[in-house]
Amino acid sequence: NSRRQRSHSTISVLDDESLSMTAIDNEERAVAACSSYGISLDKLGFVWEQSETEVRITFRVAGTPIIESCTFWESGCKVRIDADGKHYFFDVGTFSHLINPSASRSIVHARRQKVVVVIMKSEPGVDWMQLRA
């Protein structure tokens, strides 16, 4: 049984006038994601899903993505992507569980303008309730 579980990263803001939560549109999200280092894929949003053996984190970018660097260690990862001159980054200092860094990898789907980071679980069968510790 290969059960997949999906989770979406979302950003909301508190509207001062009505004190209610409203979703940020894509243009506002892109502005909020910019920093001096590039564009945060964390703030742009991503999807993650898991099976018994792996966790897949999927990012969409504007342009043709090229992985500049992708580094894994037992508890985290760091990804740097260039897409038509725009620099994107995603850092996880500590995952909620340990990973197998030597078996983890990144995949580029250039035509679909997306990057998938495949994190291999250190303990297959363990269900991750959240991505980060």
Side-chain angles (χ1 to χ4, degrees), residues 67 69-73 76-80 90 92 95 99 101:
I67 304 279
S69 66
C70 190
T71 308
F72 301 99
W73 57 95
C77 78
K78 183 181 287 193
V79 181
R80 300 289 180 265
F90 180 75
V92 177
F95 285 117
I99 69 168

Side-chain angles (χ1 to χ4, degrees), residues 10-95:
T10 59
I11 297 176
S12 297
V13 293
L14 189 60
D15 182 0
D16 288 336
E17 290 179 19
S18 64
L19 295 176
S20 64
M21 298 298 281
T22 57
I24 295 177
D25 69 25
N26 287 338
E27 186 176 324
E28 290 169 323
R29 185 182 293 229
V31 170
C34 290
S35 76
S36 60
Y37 300 109
I39 301 168
S40 168
L41 290 167
D42 238 341
K43 292 180 181 175
L44 279 181
F46 59 89
V47 175
W48 71 281
E49 59 187 340
Q50 65 180 306
S51 69
E52 294 290 316
T53 58
E54 66 186 31
V55 174
R56 288 178 172 254
I57 307 168
T58 304
F59 309 101
R60 294 208 175 270
V61 297
T64 304
I66 298 170
I67 304 279
E68 291 180 337
S69 66
C70 190
T71 308
F72 301 99
W73 57 95
E74 284 187 342
S75 62
C77 78
K78 183 181 287 193
V79 181
R80 300 289 180 265
I81 300 166
D82 180 86
D84 298 337
K86 291 183 180 178
H87 300 284
Y88 297 87
F89 64 93
F90 180 75
D91 297 339
V92 177
T94 307
F95 285 117

